[in-house]
Amino acid sequence: MSLESKDPLPADLVELGTIIDAYGIRGALKVRPFSDDPVALLKAKEVWIRHPRDPNTLRNYQVYTSRNHSGTILLELVGLTDRELVLSFKSAEILVSRKSFPSLSQDEYYWSDLIGLPVVNQQQETLGIVTELMDNGVQSVLVIEDDVKKQRLIPFVAPFIVEVFLQGTDEPKIVVDWENDW
């Protein structure tokens, strides 16, 4: 069942995918996840939907089932069984509360936690801010942009990533083994 929340919205909502179509006669949502390993979306018990035609309104739904399907995620939501209504949600964003994400092992990170972090090299020279991450099929790659909009691509692998300090530490940042003139 849809609820236009009268309770305060969770402050930690993270966009995890986009609705691209309806699936089946019961109207499951076909979602293009923003990650190759969408574990947080698959494990979510509740999702929030923001429609591009009404970006100021979020509606939450309880998840009935979720599963992988050919590179997409199929979500069946409680009370949402009308295929035509689901089709009207095309291009809507799927958000999940960060506190409901599954715990990660040491040295594993959610991409959403890395975006916005400053990146410095071992000489403490600032290289820029992480604006996005991408997957090249072999590894994840940090996309870093400096003050003059120059981009650097740094593989997110052990030889180049020295240490990651996340929110809650004195100075959130990523330390890399990378020269300023590379």
Side-chain angles (χ1 to χ4, degrees):
M1 174 166 274
S2 163
L3 298 174
E4 287 188 49
S5 183
K6 295 181 183 12
D7 297 330
L9 291 174
D12 63 347
L13 290 177
V14 178
E15 186 179 349
L16 297 181
T18 301
I19 300 170
I20 58 172
D21 208 351
Y23 181 84
I25 60 172
R26 292 189 319 214
L29 302 172
K30 190 173 187 180
V31 177
R32 180 181 46 90
F34 295 152
S35 170
D36 287 339
D37 187 14
V39 66
L41 187 54
L42 286 167
K43 299 281 186 187
K45 303 277 188 243
E46 177 180 43
V47 298
W48 296 81
I49 297 177
R50 178 174 35 222
H51 202 285
R53 284 179 275 173
D54 190 9
N56 296 323
T57 302
L58 287 168
R59 293 192 175 117
N60 69 323
Y61 292 87
Q62 299 302 310
V63 177
Y64 179 66
T65 64
S66 61
R67 66 186 184 279
N68 281 310
H69 177 73
S70 301
T72 64
I73 302 296
L74 299 180
L75 290 176
E76 292 184 51
L77 305 179
V78 174
L80 189 58
T81 57
D82 181 347
R83 181 179 170 82
E84 294 305 312
L85 178 60
V86 170
L87 284 171
S88 75
F89 287 167
K90 279 178 92 167
S91 300
E93 302 163 346
I94 296 287
L95 300 99
V96 174
S97 172
R98 175 64 177 90
K99 72 177 176 206
S100 69
F101 284 21
S103 297
L104 295 173
S105 303
Q106 186 175 346
D107 295 331
E108 287 186 321
Y109 307 95
Y110 285 111
W111 285 11
S112 60
D113 293 340
L114 301 176
I115 294 174
L117 288 180
V119 178
V120 299
N121 62 17
Q122 292 178 303
Q123 294 76 35
Q124 294 304 304
E125 298 171 311
T126 300
L127 302 178
I129 303 290
V130 178
T131 58
E132 67 178 293
L133 282 98
M134 59 185 185
D135 190 333
N136 69 8
V138 176
Q139 65 213 2
S140 297
V141 177
L142 296 172
V143 179
I144 299 160
E145 198 170 280
D146 66 13
D147 294 340
V148 294
K149 305 292 183 198
K150 176 184 171 188
Q151 284 191 342
R152 288 185 172 90
L153 303 178
I154 300 177
F156 195 71
V157 294
F160 303 115
I161 304 301
V162 176
E163 196 158 3
V164 176
F165 299 95
L166 291 178
Q167 309 301 336
T169 60
D170 290 339
E171 189 179 349
K173 64 184 172 185
I174 300 173
V175 180
V176 296
D177 185 5
W178 201 265
E179 296 300 319
N180 196 16
D181 57 354
W182 290 357

